[in-house]
Amino acid sequence: MSQPSIASVRETLVATPDQPFDLSKRDSGDRSLFPDKKHARVSLKKDAAAINELQDKLYAMRDRALLVVLQGMDTSGKSGVIRNVFADTSPLGMQVEAFKAPSKTELAHDYLWRIHEAVPRKGRIGVFDRSHYEDVLVVKVRGFAPDERIEQRYDQINQFEKHLTENGVTILKFMLNVGYEEQGIRLKERITEEHKRWKFNPGDLEDRKLWPDFMGAYETAIQRCSTEHAPWYIVPADSRTRRNAMIARIVRGTLEEMDLSWPDPGLKMEDYDFS
Amino acid sequence: MSQPSIASVRETLVATPDQPFDLSKRDSGDRSLFPDKKHARVSLKKDAAAINELQDKLYAMRDRALLVVLQGMDTSGKSGVIRNVFADTSPLGMQVEAFKAPSKTELAHDYLWRIHEAVPRKGRIGVFDRSHYEDVLVVKVRGFAPDERIEQRYDQINQFEKHLTENGVTILKFMLNVGYEEQGIRLKERITEEHKRWKFNPGDLEDRKLWPDFMGAYETAIQRCSTEHAPWYIVPADSRTRRNAMIARIVRGTLEEMDLSWPDPGLKMEDYDFS
């Protein structure tokens, strides 16, 4: 069973830069790339193994980094992506940051201050579980900042991300697109299933009531900030396995394009004394 | 095939607090706990799976953390332990810090400053690949600090570690005890094997020449800093698989003793509106 080509996954999921973007046209239940769930599972397994090998070389070269940004409504599966796409990758080469509501110290700085600090060092794969995009999503929906400040942020974010890519950090951004109905099911599971109760936060239901506003904020953010240097991919997230498999394809493809290889410092055994 | 009991692994490997410690009595090639390599592999696999499940609960509870300190001469396998013992653990719950020679900023502070900053937050397993013990090991052997400063540090470290354990951080310290001969073999592999060349550092050969001094510094550090609250375990490290299996047993046992369970906030479905 062949995997869908990386190019086809990208093409299907990307929000094309400088094109109008309509989130309502993206089906959270789309299974066209992986009609068969078993194939998605096999594909994910293969890619997770390949990502591990590529990461080893990235770590050895230590001249570039990969940053994976994950955004999505509650229950869209950010933690699941981290666990499964990087299932085979050594924690030594990973740098995961889960951004919560900013602390007082963080609020005393500009909103990119804590983000910049968490950018992965060279050699590592960094994952942002939520990110600076919260500053144009929840901040916008809940009115935590004036409109004109938020309006400035899209360009600021594009500049910031361009700066990073020009300095050796490849950026991938995934919006985990879970459907309203599926979210309802998953939120209820957080009450009925013992091992999920710790995740339940009544605030998530407040966000759920603002669903159309959040979708509008996502649409704008993606439209304004999907760029050639840091594209947004919208990932159908109603099926966990397929979601993980699609993201793994793109992460693997991106690492492959980075042309990673084992550094060869040209060592000669006779130059050294091992006695 | 049963695994060796966690108690027996601990008892075999621990440097008993307040007892004289003789590193030369510890055989880097000891296979008594896992005579059969295949059994070590199976045991490691089981424990890695159990550690993952325990870590999920630790993460959900978010009231305590586990800190695993790894020390050992070059090639003793610190990276290998991280990769294998935590093979199944989600990167989201891990916090790995590899300490290198301190930066100028770090040197402008006391030696525990950068260490404290890297202590895992509650809910996480932190791993230190090297640690504050370098400040009584390489610093001592190479004379980077006066003897009387180093002499103070053993007690300071004990106090610091006690502070952490009193504040919810359980500490495990492993000295990966690789033999001189085995290290020679592994250093040579860093020239002959393509995927290991990036690890080769001529400075490692300089440390190798000071082997007896390093062993003396380890012996003193372990003797002085193996405490009830933060014991040192000396792990025979000539066999990679057995080394990993022994550490996994102790990590698992320690997590089990932390009495982790899924938090139950007593949620009732009827209290919430999921519409």
Side-chain angles (χ1 to χ4, degrees):
Chain A
M1 179 62 202
S2 66
Q3 298 171 281
S5 76
I6 290 165
S8 71
V9 178
R10 277 191 172 139
E11 203 182 355
T12 307
L13 303 185
V14 75
T16 311
D18 304 320
Q19 297 285 316
F21 174 70
D22 183 350
L23 183 54
S24 71
K25 296 246 171 71
R26 302 298 181 113
D27 176 7
S28 63
D30 181 22
R31 300 178 167 198
S32 60
L33 287 164
F34 287 103
D36 185 330
K37 192 170 173 175
K38 267 183 234 146
H39 292 157
R41 198 171 288 126
V42 173
S43 175
L44 172 64
K45 218 175 151 74
K46 275 188 203 169
D47 286 343
I51 288 166
N52 172 34
E53 286 180 24
L54 289 158
Q55 205 286 326
D56 282 346
K57 290 177 185 164
L58 183 72
Y59 191 80
M61 294 179 85
R62 283 173 205 257
D63 60 350
R64 283 161 295 161
L66 175 66
L67 172 59
V68 176
V69 173
L70 301 177
Q71 283 287 160
M73 297 295 283
D74 295 304
T75 77
S76 62
K78 298 177 286 292
S79 312
V81 168
I82 296 170
R83 174 182 289 277
N84 288 286
V85 173
F86 302 104
D88 291 356
T89 314
S90 174
L92 189 57
M94 299 285 305
Q95 199 173 327
V96 180
E97 191 73 33
F99 290 100
K100 313 281 177 195
S103 69
K104 281 188 182 176
T105 306
E106 288 167 347
L107 283 172
H109 296 80
D110 77 276
Y111 67 99
L112 292 178
W113 179 75
R114 64 173 184 162
I115 306 295
H116 208 155
E117 202 272 335
V119 168
R121 64 162 64 192
K122 289 168 187 174
R124 293 214 187 140
I125 297 177
V127 184
F128 286 176
D129 176 344
R130 303 186 187 273
S131 67
H132 45 303
Y133 282 94
E134 293 296 327
D135 295 288
V136 292
L137 293 167
V138 67
V139 169
K140 184 180 189 184
V141 170
R142 299 211 171 265
F144 293 151
D147 287 349
E148 60 272 23
R149 299 304 299 272
I150 291 167
E151 178 55 33
Q152 294 177 315
R153 288 182 179 176
Y154 303 110
D155 288 342
Q156 290 167 352
I157 287 172
N158 288 341
Q159 285 303 320
F160 172 67
E161 292 179 353
K162 189 152 192 289
H163 166 83
L164 294 181
T165 56
E166 286 173 352
N167 285 278
V169 183
T170 299
I171 302 177
L172 287 172
K173 301 183 294 199
F174 298 102
M175 189 267 190
L176 311 187
N177 187 27
V178 68
Y180 184 78
E181 197 183 342
E182 178 66 20
Q183 195 206 33
I185 296 167
R186 292 186 188 177
L187 283 174
K188 281 179 200 157
E189 286 172 357
R190 291 187 174 179
I191 292 192
T192 55
E193 295 185 23
E194 185 196 21
H195 67 286
K196 291 183 179 171
R197 280 182 201 140
W198 64 277
K199 285 188 171 186
F200 185 80
N201 172 7
D204 298 349
L205 291 169
E206 300 304 312
D207 284 354
R208 181 169 168 79
K209 288 193 185 113
L210 297 167
W211 189 273
D213 299 320
F214 272 102
M215 291 307 111
Y218 267 107
E219 190 168 78
T220 305
I222 292 168
Q223 162 90 58
R224 299 282 298 270
C225 300
S226 194
T227 55
E228 292 294 343
H229 57 270
W232 269 108
Y233 296 97
I234 292 80
V235 186
D238 286 355
S239 161
R240 295 177 174 93
T241 308
R242 293 176 182 88
R243 172 201 69 202
N244 297 338
M246 286 184 263
I247 292 175
R249 291 260 69 197
I250 294 175
V251 170
R252 176 181 177 170
T254 302
L255 286 166
E256 282 175 348
E257 283 173 1
M258 288 171 76
D259 199 20
L260 304 164
S261 60
W262 294 114
D264 186 354
L267 305 167
K268 283 179 199 149
M269 192 69 93
E270 60 267 28
D271 290 345
Y272 302 100
D273 173 14
F274 289 91
S275 62
Chain B
M1 178 64 204
S2 65
Q3 298 172 281
S5 77
I6 290 166
S8 72
V9 178
R10 278 191 172 139
E11 202 181 356
T12 307
L13 304 186
V14 75
T16 311
D18 304 319
Q19 297 286 315
F21 174 69
D22 183 349
L23 183 54
S24 71
K25 295 247 171 70
R26 303 296 182 115
D27 176 6
S28 63
D30 181 21
R31 301 178 165 197
S32 60
L33 287 164
F34 288 102
D36 186 329
K37 191 170 174 177
K38 267 183 234 146
H39 292 156
R41 198 170 290 128
V42 174
S43 175
L44 171 63
K45 218 175 151 75
K46 277 188 201 168
D47 286 342
I51 288 166
N52 172 35
E53 285 179 26
L54 290 157
Q55 204 286 325
D56 283 345
K57 291 178 184 162
L58 183 73
Y59 191 81
M61 295 179 84
R62 282 173 205 257
D63 60 350
R64 284 161 295 160
L66 175 66
L67 172 59
V68 176
V69 173
L70 301 178
Q71 284 286 160
M73 297 295 283
D74 295 303
T75 78
S76 61
K78 298 177 288 290
S79 312
V81 169
I82 297 170
R83 171 181 292 274
N84 288 285
V85 173
F86 303 104
D88 291 356
T89 314
S90 174
L92 190 57
M94 299 286 303
Q95 199 172 327
V96 180
E97 191 72 33
F99 290 99
K100 312 282 177 191
S103 68
K104 281 188 181 175
T105 306
E106 288 166 347
L107 283 172
H109 296 80
D110 78 276
Y111 67 99
L112 292 178
W113 179 76
R114 63 173 185 162
I115 306 295
H116 208 155
E117 201 273 334
V119 168
R121 64 162 63 192
K122 289 167 187 175
R124 293 215 188 139
I125 297 177
V127 184
F128 287 175
D129 176 345
R130 303 188 185 274
S131 68
H132 44 303
Y133 283 93
E134 292 296 327
D135 295 288
V136 292
L137 293 168
V138 67
V139 169
K140 183 179 190 186
V141 170
R142 299 211 172 263
F144 294 151
D147 287 349
E148 60 272 24
R149 300 303 299 273
I150 292 166
E151 179 54 36
Q152 293 177 315
R153 289 182 178 177
Y154 303 109
D155 288 342
Q156 291 168 352
I157 288 174
N158 289 341
Q159 285 303 317
F160 172 68
E161 292 179 353
K162 190 154 192 288
H163 166 84
L164 293 182
T165 57
E166 286 174 353
N167 285 279
V169 183
T170 300
I171 301 176
L172 287 172
K173 301 182 293 197
F174 297 103
M175 189 268 192
L176 312 186
N177 187 25
V178 68
Y180 184 78
E181 198 182 344
E182 178 66 19
Q183 194 206 35
I185 295 168
R186 293 186 187 176
L187 284 174
K188 281 180 202 159
E189 285 173 0
R190 292 188 173 178
I191 291 191
T192 55
E193 295 186 23
E194 185 195 19
H195 66 288
K196 292 184 178 169
R197 280 183 201 141
W198 64 277
K199 286 188 169 186
F200 185 80
N201 172 5
D204 298 350
L205 291 170
E206 300 304 311
D207 283 356
R208 182 169 168 78
K209 289 196 184 112
L210 297 166
W211 190 272
D213 299 318
F214 272 102
M215 291 306 111
Y218 268 106
E219 190 168 78
T220 305
I222 291 167
Q223 162 90 58
R224 299 282 298 273
C225 299
S226 195
T227 56
E228 292 295 343
H229 58 270
W232 268 109
Y233 296 97
I234 293 78
V235 186
D238 286 354
S239 161
R240 295 177 174 94
T241 308
R242 294 176 181 88
R243 172 200 69 202
N244 297 338
M246 287 183 261
I247 292 176
R249 290 261 72 196
I250 294 176
V251 170
R252 176 182 178 170
T254 302
L255 286 166
E256 282 173 349
E257 281 172 3
M258 288 171 76
D259 199 20
L260 303 165
S261 60
W262 293 115
D264 187 354
L267 305 167
K268 283 178 198 149
M269 191 71 90
E270 58 269 30
D271 291 344
Y272 301 99
D273 174 14
F274 288 91
S275 63

